[in-house]
Amino acid sequence: MSSKIELPPTYKDIEDLIRVDRLPTIWCPGCGIGIVLKTLLRAIKKSDIDVDRHVIVSGIGCAGRVSGYVRLDSYHVLHGRAIPFAIGIKLAKPELEVTVVSGDGDIVGIGGNHFIHAARRNHDINVVIVNNMIYGMTGGQVAPTTPRGARTTTTPYGNIERSISIPLLAIAAGATYVARWSVLHVDHMMNSFIKMFRHKGFAVVEILSPCTLFASRNGIELLQLYEILRRKCKIVSNPDPWESHIDIFGDKPIILGEFIEIERPSYEELVWSSIRG
Amino acid sequence: MQEVKWRRLPLNSNYAVAYAVKDCDVDVIAAYPITPQTTVVEKLSEFIANGELDAEMIHVESEHSALSAAIGAAAVGARTFTATAAQGLELMHEMLHIASGLRLPIVMTIATRALSAPISIWCDYSDLMNTRDASWITLIASSAQEVYDSVIQAYRIAEDPRVLLPVMVAYDGFIMSHTYEPVYVAENPEVIREFVPRRKTWLTLDPDKPITLGPIANPDWYYEIKYQQVVAMEEAYKVIKEVDEEFGRRFGRSYGVIEKYRIEDADIVLLTYGGLFGTVREAIDAMRKRGINVGGLRLRLWRPFPAEEIIESVKGKKLVIVLDRAISYGARIAGPVALELMSTMYRMSEKPEVLSVVVGIGQRTVTEEDIAEITALGMKYLEEKRVPNQTIYWGVRA
């Protein structure tokens, strides 16, 4: 079905980690997920963890397709269930570095309860949430992360609901590393990915990623959405999670940074130490 | 009574659902996006936002919550709707039994889709067939017009005091959900609303007369309560036919519980359901021209199963070929409808042979040529007196 794709030279360093035979990706031109994938693969290379020990788990949605494009052990599971699947892997084989990559709808929408309880138990897994603020794959319906006022196919005159703030939710639930960047902040994203691999405990990295459908439903060009991110994103050191709410069309800045980085015994450490006595 | 004025619109089956739901003046809709159902709810969101439908839309975070919200709304007397497909229907499964056990007249449409794993967004009926024992009345439509008409009939059936069971209206994902056909919709929906009048026929929560819905039933009563669902299904069978006939008298279209196509003088009958029946009809016409005595039967009603009509239609035939688009793994006859047909026919004194064929899994294309080849194979088996007592998996690369 797909014609043979050759990767440009800039992909040389990660070519061995991409399933070139699966390209082109299903992502729309201009989508941010490709940037996340590229950065994640570079971070895996720099992680000091053997590539063979890395596992990628994803749920359903555009970001969920990441697992199909990586030449690593990867699992594409049910909608919302990437986190429990990842926990199972980590408990059975603690030596593996398990990373969930999925979208906002998958992880804090339909899978929200798993996210809360995995954070509470501080499972030693990594969760990369590509937040495009909409259900993109199904054509642009309102999601729990859709900012108030935004138009979607199911809120044609604007969303009236308050959106979830991922950093605030993650911290409240017990996550021990939480960062937020956008696809325009590749270096920061890379550092956070490397940190999350090293971190012992539940690490959450939220990446704001412009969606072409989100833009078109709101009557703007995709590039304008990138411009909004460029203009509004503000990197703060030790940001206040209470200030992390995203107000995409308003005046308030979108706060980026590392919201929390603390040490607390992970579930795996506790469970293995109790078994070993 | 006001005469109905029809407007001919190009609609796919998803939009046909949305128009029917609007015309039935539904109060509460709760749904979660899933391909290939999503445009049903998108269209309904548009109707609500534009003030064409006075309803509440709840954007829930999963299908489990979608049906839960519909159950809550129905429990206070609202006319409710939800729609889903595949994994969404599976995630609802627990609530399917709650809706029917509480005897709430919820209507849901299913754009049928294959189940994971591996992931497939394409059409087959494995999602629907998994709900067989959930005590939902299940209609399977084969055109966008029938989808529109069936959703209207569904509210009338569900809310009938003799029934009070939830109703599913299913149709092919993509093949029908995304294919445009000319559909007559009412220009004056009041007429439709007259056909599905608002009646409070079911037990609802009421602060003035407090009741509890769904509490624990111990071994001394649980059985009797579940038996009421058995009786309700039997009653439903009559009501479904009544409603369809009345719909026909009122609006000029009716479908019956099964659809027959050129079977009067046929030796061989092809039995199937959903959009595939269109292909089957075309194939029958082509085979008839070649002198093959073949006819078609379409199952429009899956639950309750139209046993009498089926027996009547297959009586005196030599062979019934059942084309199923789902697999009951581990069963010797693995086509769910073939299995049902064979158990229904067990007491017939002179019964036709039955050939169970699985086709179209994960939307593997089924052409007229496939139907003709399957029929030829069936005829060969019949002639050699060796119709296999197990399912044929048509076209699989085994």
Side-chain angles (χ1 to χ4, degrees), chain A residues 60 76-79 81 105-106 109-110 135 137-142 144 153-157 161, chain B residues 32-35 38-39 41-43 45-46 49-50 57-63 87 91 116 119:
Chain A
I60 299 293
H76 196 178
V77 302
L78 280 174
H79 198 18
R81 316 303 152 194
D106 190 73
I110 194 166
Y135 285 110
M137 182 172 266
T138 45
Q141 297 78 28
V142 70
T153 56
T154 44
T155 56
Y157 297 115
E161 296 176 21
Chain B
Y32 186 79
I34 186 166
T35 305
T38 312
T39 55
V41 196
E42 286 183 357
K43 196 72 185 167
S45 301
E46 211 179 289
N50 289 337
M57 167 75 81
I58 313 173
H59 302 291
V60 289
E61 71 294 335
S62 79
E63 288 87 356
Q87 304 312 125
L91 187 54
S116 297
I119 299 166

Short mmCIF file of all heavy atoms in Angstrom, two decimals, chain A residues 60 76-79 81 105-106 109-110 135 137-142 144 153-157 161, chain B residues 32-35 38-39 41-43 45-46 49-50 57-63 87 91 116 119:
data_model
loop_
_atom_site.label_atom_id
_atom_site.label_comp_id
_atom_site.label_asym_id
_atom_site.label_seq_id
_atom_site.Cartn_x
_atom_site.Cartn_y
_atom_site.Cartn_z
N ILE A 60 -5.12 4.33 22.34
CA ILE A 60 -5.74 4.63 21.06
C ILE A 60 -5.74 6.14 20.82
O ILE A 60 -5.89 6.92 21.75
CB ILE A 60 -7.19 4.08 21.03
CG1 ILE A 60 -7.19 2.56 21.19
CG2 ILE A 60 -7.92 4.50 19.76
CD1 ILE A 60 -6.58 1.76 20.07
N HIS A 76 0.44 -1.73 21.32
CA HIS A 76 -0.65 -0.81 21.02
C HIS A 76 -1.88 -1.44 21.64
O HIS A 76 -2.39 -2.43 21.13
CB HIS A 76 -0.78 -0.70 19.49
CG HIS A 76 -1.59 0.48 19.04
ND1 HIS A 76 -1.81 0.77 17.73
CD2 HIS A 76 -2.25 1.43 19.74
CE1 HIS A 76 -2.55 1.86 17.63
NE2 HIS A 76 -2.84 2.27 18.83
N VAL A 77 -2.34 -0.88 22.74
CA VAL A 77 -3.38 -1.57 23.52
C VAL A 77 -4.72 -0.85 23.38
O VAL A 77 -4.89 0.00 22.51
CB VAL A 77 -2.94 -1.72 25.00
CG1 VAL A 77 -1.66 -2.50 25.08
CG2 VAL A 77 -2.83 -0.39 25.72
N LEU A 78 -5.65 -1.18 24.26
CA LEU A 78 -6.99 -0.61 24.18
C LEU A 78 -7.02 0.87 24.59
O LEU A 78 -6.13 1.34 25.29
CB LEU A 78 -7.93 -1.37 25.12
CG LEU A 78 -8.46 -2.69 24.60
CD1 LEU A 78 -9.25 -3.37 25.71
CD2 LEU A 78 -9.37 -2.46 23.40
N HIS A 79 -8.11 1.51 24.18
CA HIS A 79 -8.28 2.94 24.50
C HIS A 79 -8.31 3.14 26.02
O HIS A 79 -9.15 2.58 26.72
CB HIS A 79 -9.60 3.41 23.87
CG HIS A 79 -9.71 4.89 23.75
ND1 HIS A 79 -8.62 5.73 23.82
CD2 HIS A 79 -10.79 5.68 23.56
CE1 HIS A 79 -9.04 6.99 23.66
NE2 HIS A 79 -10.34 6.98 23.52
N ARG A 81 -6.10 2.18 28.24
CA ARG A 81 -5.54 1.14 29.10
C ARG A 81 -4.03 1.00 28.99
O ARG A 81 -3.46 -0.02 29.38
CB ARG A 81 -6.20 -0.21 28.83
CG ARG A 81 -7.70 -0.18 28.68
CD ARG A 81 -8.44 0.40 29.87
NE ARG A 81 -9.70 0.97 29.39
CZ ARG A 81 -10.48 1.79 30.07
NH1 ARG A 81 -10.15 2.16 31.30
NH2 ARG A 81 -11.58 2.27 29.55
N GLY A 105 -6.71 12.56 25.54
CA GLY A 105 -8.01 11.88 25.64
C GLY A 105 -7.83 10.47 26.16
O GLY A 105 -8.62 9.99 26.97
N ASP A 106 -6.77 9.81 25.71
CA ASP A 106 -6.52 8.43 26.11
C ASP A 106 -6.14 8.35 27.59
O ASP A 106 -6.64 7.51 28.31
CB ASP A 106 -5.40 7.86 25.25
CG ASP A 106 -5.24 6.36 25.42
OD1 ASP A 106 -6.11 5.63 24.90
OD2 ASP A 106 -4.27 5.95 26.06
N GLY A 109 -8.64 11.24 29.79
CA GLY A 109 -10.07 11.11 29.50
C GLY A 109 -10.52 9.72 29.90
O GLY A 109 -10.72 9.42 31.08
N ILE A 110 -10.58 8.85 28.91
CA ILE A 110 -11.11 7.50 29.16
C ILE A 110 -10.23 6.72 30.13
O ILE A 110 -10.72 5.87 30.86
CB ILE A 110 -11.31 6.76 27.82
CG1 ILE A 110 -12.17 5.51 27.98
CG2 ILE A 110 -9.99 6.43 27.15
CD1 ILE A 110 -12.68 4.94 26.67
N TYR A 135 -10.13 15.44 20.64
CA TYR A 135 -10.07 14.09 20.09
C TYR A 135 -9.78 14.21 18.60
O TYR A 135 -10.68 14.46 17.81
CB TYR A 135 -11.38 13.35 20.33
CG TYR A 135 -11.57 12.89 21.76
CD1 TYR A 135 -12.52 13.46 22.59
CD2 TYR A 135 -10.78 11.86 22.28
CE1 TYR A 135 -12.68 13.04 23.90
CE2 TYR A 135 -10.93 11.44 23.59
CZ TYR A 135 -11.88 12.03 24.38
OH TYR A 135 -12.04 11.61 25.68
N MET A 137 -8.13 11.99 16.32
CA MET A 137 -8.26 10.89 15.37
C MET A 137 -9.71 10.69 14.90
O MET A 137 -9.96 10.34 13.76
CB MET A 137 -7.74 9.60 15.98
CG MET A 137 -7.80 8.46 14.99
SD MET A 137 -7.00 6.99 15.61
CE MET A 137 -5.39 7.18 14.91
N THR A 138 -10.65 10.92 15.80
CA THR A 138 -12.06 10.72 15.43
C THR A 138 -12.65 11.95 14.74
O THR A 138 -13.83 11.98 14.44
CB THR A 138 -12.90 10.34 16.65
OG1 THR A 138 -12.54 11.21 17.72
CG2 THR A 138 -12.69 8.91 17.05
N GLY A 139 -11.85 12.99 14.54
CA GLY A 139 -12.33 14.12 13.74
C GLY A 139 -12.57 15.40 14.50
O GLY A 139 -13.15 16.33 13.95
N GLY A 140 -12.13 15.47 15.76
CA GLY A 140 -12.16 16.77 16.44
C GLY A 140 -13.34 17.00 17.36
O GLY A 140 -14.03 18.01 17.25
N GLN A 141 -13.57 16.05 18.30
CA GLN A 141 -14.63 16.27 19.29
C GLN A 141 -14.05 16.84 20.57
O GLN A 141 -12.86 16.76 20.82
CB GLN A 141 -15.36 14.94 19.60
CG GLN A 141 -16.08 14.33 18.41
CD GLN A 141 -15.14 13.64 17.47
OE1 GLN A 141 -14.09 13.15 17.87
NE2 GLN A 141 -15.50 13.61 16.19
N VAL A 142 -14.94 17.36 21.40
CA VAL A 142 -14.51 17.96 22.66
C VAL A 142 -13.90 16.87 23.56
O VAL A 142 -14.38 15.75 23.61
CB VAL A 142 -15.69 18.68 23.36
CG1 VAL A 142 -16.72 17.71 23.89
CG2 VAL A 142 -15.18 19.59 24.48
N PRO A 144 -11.67 16.15 27.51
CA PRO A 144 -11.59 16.74 28.87
C PRO A 144 -10.51 17.81 28.97
O PRO A 144 -10.47 18.55 29.95
CB PRO A 144 -11.23 15.54 29.75
CG PRO A 144 -11.55 14.33 28.96
CD PRO A 144 -11.41 14.70 27.52
N THR A 153 -16.25 19.72 16.95
CA THR A 153 -17.45 19.26 16.23
C THR A 153 -18.60 18.97 17.17
O THR A 153 -19.75 18.97 16.76
CB THR A 153 -17.16 17.98 15.41
OG1 THR A 153 -16.67 16.99 16.29
CG2 THR A 153 -16.18 18.23 14.29
N THR A 154 -18.31 18.69 18.44
CA THR A 154 -19.41 18.45 19.38
C THR A 154 -19.70 19.67 20.26
O THR A 154 -20.61 19.62 21.08
CB THR A 154 -19.14 17.21 20.26
OG1 THR A 154 -17.79 17.24 20.71
CG2 THR A 154 -19.37 15.93 19.46
N THR A 155 -18.93 20.72 20.10
CA THR A 155 -19.25 21.99 20.77
C THR A 155 -19.14 23.10 19.72
O THR A 155 -18.23 23.93 19.77
CB THR A 155 -18.28 22.29 21.95
OG1 THR A 155 -16.93 22.27 21.45
CG2 THR A 155 -18.42 21.30 23.06
N PRO A 156 -20.07 23.10 18.75
CA PRO A 156 -19.91 24.01 17.60
C PRO A 156 -19.92 25.50 17.97
O PRO A 156 -19.41 26.31 17.21
CB PRO A 156 -21.08 23.65 16.69
CG PRO A 156 -21.99 22.77 17.46
CD PRO A 156 -21.23 22.21 18.59
N TYR A 157 -20.49 25.84 19.13
CA TYR A 157 -20.45 27.25 19.54
C TYR A 157 -19.56 27.48 20.75
O TYR A 157 -19.71 28.46 21.47
CB TYR A 157 -21.88 27.76 19.80
CG TYR A 157 -22.73 27.74 18.55
CD1 TYR A 157 -23.84 26.91 18.46
CD2 TYR A 157 -22.39 28.52 17.44
CE1 TYR A 157 -24.60 26.87 17.29
CE2 TYR A 157 -23.14 28.49 16.29
CZ TYR A 157 -24.25 27.66 16.21
OH TYR A 157 -24.99 27.63 15.06
N GLU A 161 -17.23 23.58 29.24
CA GLU A 161 -16.67 22.84 30.38
C GLU A 161 -15.25 23.31 30.71
O GLU A 161 -14.49 23.70 29.83
CB GLU A 161 -16.64 21.34 30.06
CG GLU A 161 -18.02 20.75 29.89
CD GLU A 161 -17.98 19.28 29.49
OE1 GLU A 161 -16.95 18.62 29.72
OE2 GLU A 161 -18.99 18.80 28.94
N TYR B 32 -19.61 9.08 23.45
CA TYR B 32 -18.15 9.23 23.41
C TYR B 32 -17.72 8.95 21.97
O TYR B 32 -18.27 8.04 21.33
CB TYR B 32 -17.53 8.21 24.37
CG TYR B 32 -16.04 8.34 24.52
CD1 TYR B 32 -15.50 9.33 25.34
CD2 TYR B 32 -15.16 7.49 23.86
CE1 TYR B 32 -14.13 9.46 25.49
CE2 TYR B 32 -13.79 7.62 24.01
CZ TYR B 32 -13.28 8.61 24.83
OH TYR B 32 -11.92 8.74 24.98
N PRO B 33 -16.76 9.70 21.44
CA PRO B 33 -16.39 9.47 20.03
C PRO B 33 -15.77 8.10 19.80
O PRO B 33 -14.92 7.68 20.57
CB PRO B 33 -15.34 10.56 19.76
CG PRO B 33 -15.32 11.46 20.94
CD PRO B 33 -15.98 10.76 22.07
N ILE B 34 -16.22 7.42 18.77
CA ILE B 34 -15.53 6.21 18.29
C ILE B 34 -15.87 6.02 16.82
O ILE B 34 -17.03 6.12 16.42
CB ILE B 34 -15.88 4.95 19.12
CG1 ILE B 34 -15.01 3.76 18.66
CG2 ILE B 34 -17.35 4.58 19.03
CD1 ILE B 34 -15.01 2.57 19.59
N THR B 35 -14.84 5.77 16.05
CA THR B 35 -15.02 5.46 14.64
C THR B 35 -15.71 4.09 14.53
O THR B 35 -15.32 3.19 15.28
CB THR B 35 -13.64 5.39 13.95
OG1 THR B 35 -12.97 6.62 14.21
CG2 THR B 35 -13.74 5.14 12.47
N THR B 38 -18.88 8.22 15.16
CA THR B 38 -18.77 9.58 15.68
C THR B 38 -19.67 10.62 15.01
O THR B 38 -20.18 11.51 15.68
CB THR B 38 -17.30 10.04 15.59
OG1 THR B 38 -16.50 9.00 16.13
CG2 THR B 38 -17.08 11.30 16.34
N THR B 39 -19.86 10.51 13.70
CA THR B 39 -20.61 11.60 13.05
C THR B 39 -22.08 11.62 13.44
O THR B 39 -22.74 12.63 13.25
CB THR B 39 -20.45 11.54 11.51
OG1 THR B 39 -20.85 10.24 11.05
CG2 THR B 39 -19.03 11.81 11.08
N VAL B 41 -23.09 11.65 16.55
CA VAL B 41 -23.14 12.57 17.68
C VAL B 41 -22.71 13.98 17.25
O VAL B 41 -23.20 14.97 17.79
CB VAL B 41 -22.27 12.06 18.84
CG1 VAL B 41 -22.64 12.79 20.10
CG2 VAL B 41 -22.45 10.58 19.03
N GLU B 42 -21.82 14.05 16.26
CA GLU B 42 -21.45 15.36 15.74
C GLU B 42 -22.68 16.07 15.17
O GLU B 42 -22.92 17.25 15.42
CB GLU B 42 -20.39 15.23 14.66
CG GLU B 42 -19.02 14.88 15.21
CD GLU B 42 -17.94 14.83 14.13
OE1 GLU B 42 -18.27 15.00 12.92
OE2 GLU B 42 -16.79 14.63 14.48
N LYS B 43 -23.45 15.32 14.38
CA LYS B 43 -24.64 15.90 13.76
C LYS B 43 -25.65 16.31 14.84
O LYS B 43 -26.24 17.39 14.77
CB LYS B 43 -25.27 14.86 12.81
CG LYS B 43 -26.27 15.44 11.83
CD LYS B 43 -25.55 16.25 10.79
CE LYS B 43 -26.46 16.97 9.84
NZ LYS B 43 -25.71 17.97 9.06
N SER B 45 -24.95 17.13 17.90
CA SER B 45 -24.42 18.32 18.59
C SER B 45 -24.80 19.57 17.82
O SER B 45 -25.14 20.61 18.39
CB SER B 45 -22.90 18.26 18.68
OG SER B 45 -22.50 17.11 19.37
N GLU B 46 -24.71 19.45 16.49
CA GLU B 46 -25.05 20.56 15.62
C GLU B 46 -26.55 20.91 15.77
O GLU B 46 -26.90 22.08 15.92
CB GLU B 46 -24.77 20.11 14.19
CG GLU B 46 -24.34 21.17 13.22
CD GLU B 46 -24.09 20.49 11.86
OE1 GLU B 46 -23.09 19.75 11.75
OE2 GLU B 46 -24.91 20.69 10.94
N ALA B 49 -27.00 22.57 19.12
CA ALA B 49 -26.41 23.91 19.16
C ALA B 49 -27.22 24.90 18.34
O ALA B 49 -27.32 26.08 18.69
CB ALA B 49 -24.97 23.85 18.65
N ASN B 50 -27.83 24.41 17.25
CA ASN B 50 -28.63 25.31 16.40
C ASN B 50 -30.07 25.45 16.87
O ASN B 50 -30.87 26.10 16.21
CB ASN B 50 -28.63 24.79 14.96
CG ASN B 50 -27.27 24.97 14.31
OD1 ASN B 50 -26.49 25.82 14.73
ND2 ASN B 50 -26.98 24.17 13.30
N MET B 57 -26.83 17.40 25.78
CA MET B 57 -25.78 16.51 25.28
C MET B 57 -24.71 16.40 26.37
O MET B 57 -24.17 17.41 26.81
CB MET B 57 -25.19 17.10 24.01
CG MET B 57 -23.91 16.47 23.55
SD MET B 57 -24.14 14.86 22.80
CE MET B 57 -24.63 15.32 21.16
N ILE B 58 -24.43 15.19 26.81
CA ILE B 58 -23.40 15.00 27.83
C ILE B 58 -22.16 14.41 27.16
O ILE B 58 -22.21 13.31 26.62
CB ILE B 58 -23.88 14.08 28.98
CG1 ILE B 58 -25.28 14.50 29.45
CG2 ILE B 58 -22.90 14.10 30.14
CD1 ILE B 58 -25.90 13.53 30.45
N HIS B 59 -21.07 15.17 27.20
CA HIS B 59 -19.82 14.71 26.59
C HIS B 59 -19.05 13.91 27.64
O HIS B 59 -18.20 14.45 28.33
CB HIS B 59 -18.98 15.91 26.12
CG HIS B 59 -19.70 16.77 25.15
ND1 HIS B 59 -20.00 16.37 23.88
CD2 HIS B 59 -20.20 18.03 25.27
CE1 HIS B 59 -20.64 17.33 23.24
NE2 HIS B 59 -20.78 18.35 24.06
N VAL B 60 -19.36 12.65 27.74
CA VAL B 60 -18.76 11.83 28.79
C VAL B 60 -17.34 11.43 28.41
O VAL B 60 -16.90 11.68 27.30
CB VAL B 60 -19.62 10.57 29.04
CG1 VAL B 60 -20.91 10.93 29.72
CG2 VAL B 60 -19.86 9.82 27.73
N GLU B 61 -16.64 10.77 29.37
CA GLU B 61 -15.24 10.45 29.13
C GLU B 61 -15.02 9.00 28.71
O GLU B 61 -13.89 8.59 28.51
CB GLU B 61 -14.40 10.82 30.35
CG GLU B 61 -14.57 9.96 31.58
CD GLU B 61 -15.94 10.06 32.22
OE1 GLU B 61 -16.63 11.08 32.05
OE2 GLU B 61 -16.34 9.09 32.89
N SER B 62 -16.10 8.23 28.59
CA SER B 62 -15.96 6.86 28.09
C SER B 62 -17.34 6.32 27.76
O SER B 62 -18.35 6.90 28.16
CB SER B 62 -15.29 5.94 29.12
OG SER B 62 -16.23 5.53 30.09
N GLU B 63 -17.38 5.20 27.05
CA GLU B 63 -18.67 4.61 26.70
C GLU B 63 -19.38 4.04 27.92
O GLU B 63 -20.60 4.02 27.97
CB GLU B 63 -18.49 3.51 25.65
CG GLU B 63 -18.14 4.03 24.27
CD GLU B 63 -16.66 4.24 24.05
OE1 GLU B 63 -15.88 4.05 25.02
OE2 GLU B 63 -16.27 4.57 22.93
N GLN B 87 -15.18 -1.45 20.35
CA GLN B 87 -14.67 -1.44 21.72
C GLN B 87 -15.58 -0.64 22.63
O GLN B 87 -15.69 -0.92 23.81
CB GLN B 87 -13.25 -0.86 21.77
CG GLN B 87 -12.25 -1.53 20.86
CD GLN B 87 -12.24 -3.02 20.95
OE1 GLN B 87 -12.38 -3.72 19.96
NE2 GLN B 87 -12.06 -3.53 22.15
N LEU B 91 -17.01 -1.91 26.06
CA LEU B 91 -16.80 -1.21 27.33
C LEU B 91 -18.14 -0.96 28.03
O LEU B 91 -18.22 -0.89 29.24
CB LEU B 91 -16.05 0.11 27.08
CG LEU B 91 -15.61 0.91 28.30
CD1 LEU B 91 -14.79 0.07 29.25
CD2 LEU B 91 -14.82 2.13 27.87
N SER B 116 -10.97 -5.43 18.52
CA SER B 116 -9.54 -5.61 18.78
C SER B 116 -9.37 -6.86 19.62
O SER B 116 -10.29 -7.23 20.34
CB SER B 116 -9.00 -4.42 19.57
OG SER B 116 -9.14 -3.25 18.83
N ILE B 119 -6.09 -4.29 16.21
CA ILE B 119 -7.01 -3.18 16.00
C ILE B 119 -7.52 -3.19 14.57
O ILE B 119 -6.75 -3.31 13.63
CB ILE B 119 -6.32 -1.84 16.29
CG1 ILE B 119 -5.85 -1.79 17.74
CG2 ILE B 119 -7.26 -0.66 15.99
CD1 ILE B 119 -4.87 -0.67 18.02
#
